Amino acid sequence: MVLDIMDIFMHDAIEEALKGLEEGGVPIGAVLVEDGKIIGRGRNKRVQQGDQLMHAEIDCLRNARLTGGYHNTIIYSTLMPCYLCAGAMVQFGIKKVIVGESNSAPEASHFMESHGIEVINLDLKECRELMEIYIKKNPKLWDEFLSELNPDLLLSPELKSRSNCISIKEEKKAL
């Protein structure tokens, strides 16, 4: 089987997520690509470092080499970025975000798109399963993680123990 470049870079993001999982953290990984080369890698280190701001995309940007800007870069993330990470992408002028899945966490895709960022959701089984298994094994930690991202997500009892998170938009429609 021949992998296209998108699959190769997403594979690297998945490897970062797996490293985070091995370290006892939330399995979310990201890579930043410029001209077909990875210039930054990162993984969620919230648990490992006790730092609620150390999301995979933020770690990736912190580890990226300095450039004249990130306008010609693409970020690959195993999970749809939250608003914190999406804001960083807007701030740094990243024009394309490719994600492995968006079912497990709230998404900021509309926010990114409204700021001119192209968002592609690959909806990869491997990324979905990685998060589903993690959430089932760590529901309390995942709920804590989500509450830091947006406390409104934990309004209903159904959301507190779910293994398939739904977006805020879908939750509000259900109300």
Side-chain angles (χ1 to χ4, degrees):
M1 180 174 143
V2 177
L3 294 176
D4 65 21
I5 290 190
M6 184 181 301
D7 292 333
I8 291 168
F9 295 132
M10 185 54 71
H11 175 72
D12 286 319
I14 291 169
E15 290 211 349
E16 286 295 321
L18 292 172
K19 286 178 188 175
L21 184 62
E22 288 172 10
E23 297 166 353
V26 183
I28 304 169
V31 296
L32 185 66
V33 176
E34 182 179 58
D35 296 326
K37 295 179 182 164
I38 294 174
I39 63 168
R41 296 173 177 272
R43 58 188 167 273
N44 186 293
K45 294 180 180 171
R46 177 200 173 277
V47 174
Q48 300 93 307
Q49 295 183 0
D51 182 351
Q52 71 270 24
L53 297 177
M54 193 47 73
H55 296 200
E57 299 86 352
I58 300 298
D59 188 41
C60 178
L61 289 168
R62 290 183 76 152
N63 293 326
R65 68 165 174 73
L66 294 176
T67 72
Y70 297 107
H71 304 288
N72 296 314
T73 62
I74 301 170
I75 196 159
Y76 292 77
S77 180
T78 57
L79 186 66
M80 183 66 72
C82 68
Y83 287 97
L84 169 72
C85 298
M89 291 171 210
V90 169
Q91 175 70 29
F92 288 113
I94 295 169
K95 296 297 182 198
K96 190 176 207 176
V97 176
I98 299 174
V99 299
E101 71 108 344
S102 65
N103 296 329
S104 300
E107 61 178 273
S109 62
H110 298 295
F111 171 78
M112 290 184 286
E113 289 167 345
S114 74
H115 286 85
I117 298 174
E118 180 183 3
V119 179
I120 298 172
N121 181 3
L122 300 177
D123 194 29
L124 297 175
K125 181 180 177 183
E126 184 174 4
C127 292
R128 285 191 318 271
E129 288 178 349
L130 185 61
M131 289 307 301
E132 287 170 4
I133 291 167
Y134 180 82
I135 292 167
K136 283 179 186 174
K137 288 183 177 179
N138 302 282
K140 185 176 179 182
L141 185 60
W142 183 247
D143 284 346
E144 182 181 314
F145 181 70
L146 288 180
S147 72
E148 290 171 354
L149 298 178
N150 185 345
D152 293 337
L153 282 176
L154 300 178
L155 291 175
S156 68
E158 303 84 50
L159 293 176
K160 288 191 175 190
S161 62
R162 68 182 180 238
S163 62
N164 262 338
C165 300
I166 59 175
S167 72
I168 297 167
K169 185 175 163 184
E170 291 170 326
E171 174 66 10
K172 286 183 178 176
K173 281 183 186 175
L175 297 175

